Amino acid sequence: MSNRVTIREIAQKAGVHHATVSRALRNDPQIATETREHILKLARRMGYRPDPALSSLMRYRSAKAAHHYQAALAWATNYPTRDGWLTHEKVGYYSGALQRAEELGYSLDPFWLGEAGMSGARASAILKARNIQGVILLPMPKANVSIDLDWDQFSAVSISHTVTSPHLNVVTNHHFRSMALLMKQLDALGYKRPGFACLRRIHESVDRAWAAAFEMYRPGAGSRADIPLYIYEEESLPAFEHWVRTYKPDVIVAHSDNIMHYLKEMQLRVPEDIGVAMAARHGVSSDCSGIDENNNTVGRVVVNVVVEMIHNNERGIPQVPITTLVEGFWVNGSTLRTSL
C-alpha cells in the first residue's frame, strides 16, 4: 500500500478545493500569493512528491487533445527598421517557430522594440494588453545588447547570445560543434592551411564559439602561427586582400558570402585556387559548402521552451539560465575541391 501524499489530502488539510492545490503546486499566479505559499509550505511539511507516472499521463492527454488558441507569443525584434530582421536565417527561425506555435495553439505576433518612443514600460504594457505571455527575442543587430522589459510578467527566451542583459534562457545553434564538424570536413578533403575570416559583431554574437573550435581543430601549431584570425570591424576588400596575399590560406572559413566577390576581384578561382567554407550557410550562400544551422528546428525548439515555461509559470529572469543547443549539419557545395 502506497504512503504517497496526495493532492486531495493536502486540500483537505488546507481547507481548499483540490484544484486550488494543483494550481498552487504549479505556481499559478492566479492563485493568491498568500494561499499559494501556505499550500506549498504545507505540501513540503506533509512530504508531498509529484507522481511522475501521473504527470506523464497528463502530458500525454494534453498532447493528444486538439489544441486550441491559448494565448499569443511575441516575436520581438530590435533592428533599426520594423522589417530589418527579415534576413535568410531569421526567416528560417520564424518559419519553424510559427509552425510550432500554431501546433500548440498559440499565435506568434511580431513586435518591434525599436519603434519611435518605445520604452521598456510602454512595450511591457502593450504586450500585456495583447495577452502576450511569452516573449521570443530574435538575434540583435549587434552583440552585448540590453533589453528593458517588465520581465516578471513574461516567460522569455532569446535566440542567440546577443542579449546579455538580462541573462535569459537561450536556444541557438551549437556553434562550437558546427565549426568542429566543418574543420573535420576540411581535414578529410586535405586542406592544410585554413584561415578564419569573421566580422567582429558576428564573432561576438556566437559567443566566440566558432573561433574557439577553429583554433582547436585546425592542423598544426605552425598553421596557428602562420595564419592569424581575421576578425574585422567592417568589410574591406583591401584589408581582406592583404590578409590573403600575406598569409596564403588554402581555404577560407567565413560567415559572409561577400568574400566570394572579393576573391573574384582578386582573380582567385574558387575552388581551384582557394577553397571557401561557410560557418553558416543561408539562402544567399546556397552554392557554398558549409554548415546548415538548422534554423527551422531552432525556431521550433524555442517555441517548445517558452511554452513549457508558460505552462510551468516560469516568469522573470531565471536564477540559473539554461542554454539549449541545436545541432547543425554539413552540406556539400561547389566551393571546395572534392579530393586532393
Side-chain angles (χ1 to χ4, degrees):
M1 181 175 177
S2 172
N3 293 321
R4 180 182 293 275
V5 176
T6 68
I7 286 176
R8 290 183 181 276
E9 289 171 339
I10 298 171
Q12 184 177 14
K13 190 80 171 176
V16 298
H17 193 273
H18 64 83
T20 302
V21 174
S22 177
R23 292 168 65 188
L25 292 174
R26 298 198 306 272
N27 286 314
D28 190 330
Q30 294 184 354
I31 302 297
T33 301
E34 184 178 349
T35 302
R36 191 165 71 244
E37 291 179 351
H38 172 66
I39 291 172
L40 290 171
K41 289 178 182 178
L42 181 60
R44 285 194 295 270
R45 199 160 57 241
M46 294 176 66
Y48 171 76
R49 296 290 183 275
D51 185 336
L54 181 59
S55 297
S56 297
L57 177 61
M58 294 303 292
R59 287 179 181 273
Y60 173 77
R61 286 176 174 172
S62 176
K64 294 290 285 183
H67 290 293
H68 58 279
Y69 176 82
Q70 300 185 52
L73 305 176
W75 186 254
T77 68
N78 198 29
Y79 277 72
T81 63
R82 184 180 301 275
D83 296 330
W85 66 274
L86 289 169
T87 58
H88 294 275
E89 73 274 20
K90 296 175 186 66
V91 170
Y93 296 144
Y94 184 73
S95 175
L98 179 63
Q99 182 184 49
R100 186 57 179 153
E102 290 177 345
E103 290 171 359
L104 296 177
Y106 287 79
S107 65
L108 187 62
D109 299 347
F111 187 83
W112 186 32
L113 294 167
E115 187 172 355
M118 185 69 73
S119 65
R122 181 165 180 259
S124 300
I126 293 172
L127 292 170
K128 289 298 293 181
R130 294 181 183 178
N131 194 30
I132 300 290
Q133 296 186 26
V135 175
I136 297 171
L137 290 171
L138 228 58
M140 299 292 121
K142 60 181 180 179
N144 302 316
V145 172
S146 176
I147 299 294
D148 179 27
L149 287 177
D150 184 3
W151 294 108
D152 288 342
Q153 300 297 316
F154 308 107
S155 301
V157 181
S158 175
I159 302 178
S160 88
H161 297 284
T162 51
V163 177
T164 53
S165 178
H167 193 179
L168 301 171
N169 293 337
V170 172
V171 176
T172 191
N173 173 259
H174 198 326
H175 296 108
F176 188 94
R177 285 178 61 88
S178 290
M179 182 59 71
L181 173 59
L182 184 152
M183 296 303 288
K184 290 175 182 177
Q185 292 289 332
L186 296 185
D187 183 63
L189 292 172
Y191 286 101
K192 301 300 183 186
R193 292 181 55 80
F196 178 75
C198 189
L199 188 64
R200 183 171 298 280
R201 69 174 179 82
I202 303 297
H203 171 61
E204 298 289 347
S205 74
V206 299
D207 205 22
R208 306 187 182 190
W210 281 344
F214 179 88
E215 290 279 52
M216 178 171 288
Y217 285 95
R218 68 167 158 176
S223 172
R224 294 187 181 90
D226 288 348
I227 309 179
L229 303 181
Y230 179 53
I231 308 296
Y232 51 95
E233 303 298 333
E234 58 184 27
E235 294 185 341
S236 165
L237 174 56
F240 175 76
E241 181 171 7
H242 174 76
W243 177 72
V244 173
R245 302 289 189 196
T246 301
Y247 299 106
K248 299 179 174 57
D250 59 1
V251 60
I252 298 173
V253 178
H255 76 91
S256 170
D257 71 332
N258 282 345
I259 70 163
M260 298 291 292
H261 305 299
Y262 288 168
L263 293 172
K264 185 176 181 179
E265 289 287 325
M266 295 165 58
Q267 298 184 347
L268 291 175
R269 299 170 301 162
V270 178
E272 292 85 357
D273 299 324
I274 190 168
V276 173
M278 303 303 295
R281 293 174 77 256
H282 304 302
V284 291
S285 54
S286 58
D287 291 334
C288 296
S289 305
I291 297 295
D292 186 311
E293 291 193 303
N294 225 339
N295 293 324
N296 189 276
T297 300
V298 171
R300 292 182 63 85
V301 172
V302 76
V303 169
N304 286 342
V305 171
V306 76
V307 168
E308 182 74 9
M309 292 172 66
I310 291 170
H311 289 174
N312 292 333
N313 295 301
E314 297 173 13
R315 294 175 173 81
I317 302 169
Q319 289 186 347
V320 181
I322 296 172
T323 297
T324 303
L325 300 175
V326 176
E327 298 277 345
F329 55 91
W330 175 259
V331 179
N332 288 317
S334 62
T335 57
L336 295 175
R337 64 194 181 208
T338 57
S339 60
L340 294 175

